[in-house]
Amino acid sequence: MEGARAESIESRVASIGLDEEGLLDRRATLISLLRSLQKSFEQNDINTQPSSASEDNSAFSQNAGIKAMVKNPTSTLSHRGAQLASETLHSHFANQKPNCMNFREFRDYLSAAGRPKEFSEVTDNEESWKVFVDDFGGLDAEGNMTPEGLVRYRELIEHKQPLEIDVLRMNLDLLPKSLQSWANNKKMFDKIDEECIEEENKKILRRLGKKKAEEFLIRGLTGTIEKESFQQLLADCGEFYTFQQLTQMLHVHHNSMAVMQQLRARYARKNAFSNTQASKIDGEDVERVYRDGFLSWIMSGREKPEVHFFEKLFIKSKTKISRVFKELMLAGIQLKTAVKELRERDILHPRILGGLKMDQCRMESLLEIGKTQDVDNGLSAQIIYTKVEKATQAFAEMRLPRGCGTALTFDFLVRSDASEVEVRLAVNHLNSVVSEHFDRDLQRLPLFHSWKVYSHKNADDMLVLRIAICFDKTSSIDYCLRELDLGFTFGDLVSEFSVEGQCSLNITDLFDSKRVVLEKKLALRSKIVVTFARGLLVKLMEELLLHEEEGKMKEDVIYEEEAAIQTRQDERTAESHPENPNFGKIKIGVDIKKVTKTGLQLETQRVIIEQRRRRLWHIVGLFKGTKGSLVEFSFKSINEVFFGSKLIAGWVPAWLTKDMFLNAGTLAIW
């Protein structure tokens, strides 16, 4: 009698009429029964581990019993581990196409993990790698590794190469994306909160004076922001909406907060003795946004309204420019503080810096694409740095308001046949646009003074419509240099700076014509020239870098002293409690930036700072050894710029293809 033929799992499942959902339901039911059995065994003190554990079966004994089956029913990776492998690792290296990791990207992953020869018998060749990945069901129809395939690959090596260590080695975040998003949103809210507090403290100081305002100044975060800052906050978090959409969303949000407050009040009345936790949110306050309520709102499954492309582009440009200005102002304030400390120590003294102003360096850079002899007839743009002897007189001639130290102006050329009535009407319309869409954001800029829209004749005696954004006198670089008493002006540091850009096509040909082929018609020329005091700049950069290193050394000494004190306290505590050496052992003085969620003190933040410091020292060395330079780049066509070099082609985004430059009217159609 011949032995019965073994049936496959698929045929057995099909014979009993179960599909994938049915199997999952049975699996869930089985796990629930196992958990109830485990709980019953624990209540009756029944041991579920093997009765004997020798050296041969020690690995089995560690994972034996119902408890191990319930905790790890399917694989060696936990749910969080599978999520970390599929979302963090796979998405980080799958750059060409989402959710598809090709052979080259997999090799990049192995190199980043520090194991380029891992499974070299199958990973050195693309075909053998595809067969290897396909064996455990991780290959798609196009021959790329799926996120599930990377999860199964990580299960094979988890016992030798823990996933957590690899993620930390690659300087990636161990937190899930949702928690990263929550932390980033909280960080953005706190940044806006700090800016609002700083502006409010400035108002208090101007109103009461430094002595009287001391007790009224706001210290620490308030956890609330004004609703006018809501658009900037959402833009910092990566979402862009119009004011009308924001008003509607805030109305719904405030109504929800009011309902929650009523429910909490009802619960408090019913549980007067047990309800002791006060809410940080005032549900009746419709003029402010509270941090806790905002975080719950932005992380919820809310409906996100659609925004038109050009509206989104306008809002994104406005909020990004506003954020850049704020960051630049903050960096300038920090730089001024560091230079002031060096000046007080007489490290930066006029006697030392005065002799370095004459050591000049000139650098030029030229970029040419296509036939540059045709660029004189198309679009052009220039940025030129000029110096004036009397800034106050120059501002008066430009009809700028008094008290401003820096002004950013935008000039729009007026047609020669425009009448005075049309010019005045254009000024009024432009004034209305700035007042409605930009005034709220301009008022929140650091060191902001005022803005003005008017008609004026420029240096070439041509009538223009001018938008002037003015900052107060403390924003002037020369004012800060005089206040620091360094013995030089910004004109001594940078004597020449110009940027010129020319294009062979005009705006109509670029964005309206459907016959223009960029590969054949587009030609570009760009030139950058800068002349600066090399010795003076090198001296400033050296002293600032050394000053930063002194601060880091001080932090390290404090940290080591605190760690030594804590170690001594733990030893004394252990001596007094010999029966429990770990009694009262705690960790204090630990830098949170150096500690991961696993407790491994991998100083990733310190490594990043060290890399940035080394790059800055390389720049200082470059300036020291360079008296002058001329860098020229020349390309035959626009396609050669992006796809002619493998080094550049690796950084080209997926949406930018060769067809965009070979087809006619690409920008007009787009």
Side-chain angles (χ1 to χ4, degrees):
M1 181 177 176
E2 295 180 0
R5 227 172 157 184
E7 292 183 334
S8 65
I9 297 177
E10 290 79 4
S11 61
R12 293 179 60 188
V13 171
S15 63
I16 60 178
L18 281 178
D19 55 3
E20 184 178 355
E21 294 184 359
L23 287 173
L24 292 176
D25 291 339
R26 287 200 173 190
R27 175 179 175 274
T29 304
L30 177 60
I31 291 176
S32 177
L33 290 173
L34 290 174
R35 285 175 176 163
S36 62
L37 284 173
Q38 180 192 7
K39 186 175 181 181
S40 176
F41 288 157
E42 290 177 351
Q43 291 176 351
N44 293 278
D45 295 331
I46 299 176
N47 186 14
T48 59
Q49 299 293 334
S51 56
S52 63
S54 62
E55 294 181 358
D56 295 333
N57 65 353
S58 59
F60 170 77
S61 64
Q62 291 177 359
N63 297 306
I66 296 175
K67 186 174 183 180
M69 293 173 62
V70 173
K71 285 190 173 182
N72 197 3
T74 57
S75 66
T76 56
L77 285 179
S78 64
H79 170 73
R80 174 65 199 121
Q83 184 183 15
L84 193 65
S86 60
E87 291 185 1
T88 304
L89 275 184
H90 193 277
S91 61
H92 180 73
F93 290 97
N95 297 320
Q96 293 295 328
K97 188 177 180 181
N99 297 326
C100 296
M101 180 186 289
N102 56 36
F103 175 70
R104 179 182 175 183
E105 292 169 343
F106 182 79
R107 295 290 304 169
D108 293 340
Y109 151 71
L110 291 181
S111 299
R115 302 186 301 275
K117 296 298 183 181
E118 187 174 68
F119 290 111
S120 58
E121 61 274 7
V122 292
T123 58
D124 282 347
N125 181 269
E126 185 172 358
E127 294 301 324
S128 61
W129 172 78
K130 288 182 179 180
V131 174
F132 171 66
V133 177
D134 190 46
D135 286 342
F136 51 77
L139 203 69
D140 61 7
E142 298 179 359
N144 298 318
M145 176 183 276
T146 62
E148 293 78 12
L150 185 60
V151 172
R152 292 168 186 171
Y153 176 80
R154 290 298 317 188
E155 290 175 358
L156 296 176
I157 63 173
E158 182 65 19
H159 62 288
K160 292 184 178 179
Q161 305 293 341
L163 173 64
E164 184 179 21
I165 300 300
D166 281 353
V167 172
L168 291 173
R169 185 181 291 119
M170 298 174 191
N171 199 20
L172 300 177
D173 205 322
L174 287 173
L175 301 179
K177 288 188 175 181
S178 57
L179 190 54
Q180 292 180 35
S181 177
W182 181 90
N184 180 69
N185 295 333
K186 181 178 180 297
K187 179 182 177 181
M188 294 300 105
F189 190 98
D190 292 341
K191 181 183 290 186
I192 298 289
D193 192 5
E194 289 178 358
E195 294 171 355
C196 294
I197 291 173
E198 185 177 356
E199 291 299 320
E200 188 64 28
N201 286 339
K202 287 181 180 179
K203 294 178 182 178
I204 295 174
L205 287 171
R206 285 195 298 264
R207 187 171 63 250
L208 300 178
K210 189 174 182 179
K211 292 183 179 180
K212 293 183 179 180
E214 189 66 27
E215 57 179 320
F216 298 100
L217 293 177
I218 303 174
R219 294 177 175 83
L221 299 176
T222 62
T224 64
I225 63 171
E226 299 176 354
K227 65 178 183 180
E228 287 78 9
S229 304
F230 195 51
Q231 187 181 55
Q232 182 67 51
L233 173 60
L234 286 180
D236 292 342
C237 296
E239 299 186 15
F240 306 94
Y241 302 107
T242 63
F243 278 116
Q244 290 78 7
Q245 293 170 333
L246 291 176
T247 302
Q248 184 178 2
M249 287 189 288
L250 279 176
H251 178 71
V252 175
H253 173 64
H254 286 140
N255 286 342
S256 301
M257 293 298 100
V259 171
M260 291 300 299
Q261 184 170 346
Q262 293 176 3
L263 291 176
R264 285 182 59 86
R266 181 180 178 184
Y267 176 81
R269 288 194 299 269
K270 290 185 177 182
N271 304 273
F273 294 100
S274 61
N275 183 61
T276 57
Q277 184 178 4
S279 175
K280 297 180 180 180
I281 302 176
D282 183 3
E284 304 297 332
D285 187 1
V286 297
E287 298 298 324
R288 305 188 70 83
V289 179
Y290 289 78
R291 181 177 59 193
D292 295 344
F294 165 76
L295 292 175
S296 62
W297 172 82
I298 197 171
M299 298 298 296
S300 63
R302 55 193 166 82
E303 181 182 0
K304 298 181 180 180
E306 293 290 333
V307 184
H308 192 270
F309 173 78
F310 288 103
E311 284 183 331
K312 185 176 182 180
L313 180 63
F314 174 79
I315 297 170
K316 186 175 183 179
S317 302
K318 182 186 70 170
T319 51
K320 290 294 182 183
I321 291 173
S322 176
R323 175 54 57 195
V324 168
F325 264 101
K326 291 179 180 179
E327 295 298 329
L328 286 176
M329 292 294 183
L330 180 61
I333 292 173
Q334 294 174 350
L335 179 63
K336 180 181 177 181
T337 303
V339 173
K340 186 177 180 180
E341 293 178 359
L342 292 172
R343 179 65 182 88
E344 292 174 351
R345 296 164 56 187
D346 280 343
I347 295 178
L348 296 178
H349 194 275
R351 175 177 49 80
I352 302 174
L353 303 177
L356 301 175
K357 294 188 290 186
M358 303 306 296
D359 186 7
Q360 297 286 315
C361 176
R362 180 182 176 87
M363 291 186 174
E364 296 184 27
S365 177
L366 179 64
L367 171 65
E368 292 183 346
I369 301 173
K371 300 178 180 179
T372 55
Q373 61 268 22
D374 301 329
V375 297
D376 295 332
N377 301 323
L379 185 66
S380 63
Q382 289 182 335
I383 300 176
I384 301 177
Y385 164 69
T386 58
K387 296 181 291 184
V388 293
E389 296 298 332
K390 297 181 180 180
T392 305
Q393 182 179 352
F395 282 172
E397 293 175 355
M398 295 171 63
R399 295 171 55 192
L400 295 177
R402 293 182 178 180
C404 69
T406 306
L408 179 64
T409 61
F410 301 90
D411 289 349
F412 300 91
L413 190 63
V414 178
R415 296 176 57 179
S416 58
D417 58 347
S419 63
E420 294 184 4
V421 177
E422 291 174 335
V423 172
R424 286 197 298 268
L425 187 62
V427 170
N428 292 335
H429 287 326
L430 194 56
N431 190 81
S432 300
V433 170
V434 176
S435 177
E436 180 178 355
H437 296 286
F438 294 95
D439 182 66
R440 285 185 289 262
D441 300 289
L442 291 175
Q443 295 291 342
R444 287 171 173 76
L445 290 178
L447 309 178
F448 178 74
H449 182 271
S450 60
W451 61 270
K452 184 179 180 180
V453 178
Y454 61 100
S455 60
H456 183 68
K457 286 192 175 182
N458 61 9
D460 298 329
D461 200 28
M462 302 180 67
L463 187 63
V464 295
L465 295 182
R466 174 169 292 173
I467 302 176
I469 302 174
C470 305
F471 300 89
D472 61 26
K473 62 180 181 180
T474 59
S475 64
S476 173
I477 299 178
D478 284 341
Y479 177 87
C480 295
L481 291 175
R482 288 194 302 269
E483 190 177 22
L484 294 171
D485 189 23
L486 295 177
F488 67 90
T489 63
F490 186 73
D492 298 327
L493 184 62
V494 180
S495 56
E496 181 185 6
F497 177 77
S498 64
V499 179
E500 298 181 21
Q502 294 176 295
C503 177
S504 60
L505 303 175
N506 54 39
I507 295 180
T508 303
D509 294 335
L510 278 174
F511 299 103
D512 191 42
S513 176
K514 295 184 179 180
R515 297 181 179 180
V516 174
V517 179
L518 298 179
E519 176 71 10
K520 298 180 179 179
K521 298 292 185 180
L522 183 63
L524 299 172
R525 178 194 289 158
S526 177
K527 185 178 181 180
I528 302 175
V529 179
V530 58
T531 303
F532 58 91
R534 183 188 63 164
L536 185 58
L537 182 61
V538 167
K539 179 64 176 178
L540 291 173
M541 293 183 67
E542 283 181 342
E543 295 300 339
L544 288 171
L545 288 174
L546 291 173
H547 179 70
E548 183 181 2
E549 291 180 1
E550 290 173 358
K552 292 299 179 184
M553 292 173 62
K554 183 178 179 181
E555 292 179 1
D556 291 342
V557 170
I558 294 175
Y559 172 75
E560 292 174 0
E561 290 179 352
E562 290 182 351
I565 293 172
Q566 185 60 44
T567 302
R568 177 57 181 160
Q569 290 177 353
D570 291 340
E571 292 175 354
R572 293 184 60 193
T573 304
E575 291 174 0
S576 60
H577 297 80
E579 73 285 353
N580 184 11
N582 295 322
F583 179 82
K585 184 177 289 188
I586 58 174
K587 292 183 178 180
I588 64 171
V590 178
D591 189 355
I592 298 178
K593 295 180 180 178
K594 304 175 187 175
V595 182
T596 64
K597 291 295 179 181
T598 59
L600 299 175
Q601 298 186 16
L602 301 178
E603 302 181 0
T604 55
Q605 188 71 17
R606 179 176 293 276
V607 171
I608 294 174
I609 294 175
E610 183 66 19
Q611 291 175 349
R612 179 179 63 85
R613 187 185 65 82
R614 288 179 180 177
R615 285 194 294 266
L616 290 174
W617 276 116
H618 289 328
I619 295 174
V620 171
L622 177 65
F623 287 161
K624 269 187 174 182
T626 305
K627 187 69 175 179
S629 65
L630 174 60
V631 182
E632 294 185 1
F633 299 95
S634 181
F635 300 92
K636 294 180 180 180
S637 63
I638 189 68
N639 251 331
E640 187 181 355
V641 176
F642 296 103
F643 304 103
S645 171
K646 293 183 179 180
L647 178 64
I648 300 178
W651 294 89
V652 175
W655 57 267
L656 187 62
T657 61
K658 293 183 179 180
D659 295 336
M660 296 183 63
F661 304 111
L662 297 175
N663 297 334
T666 301
L667 294 180
I669 297 172
W670 182 68

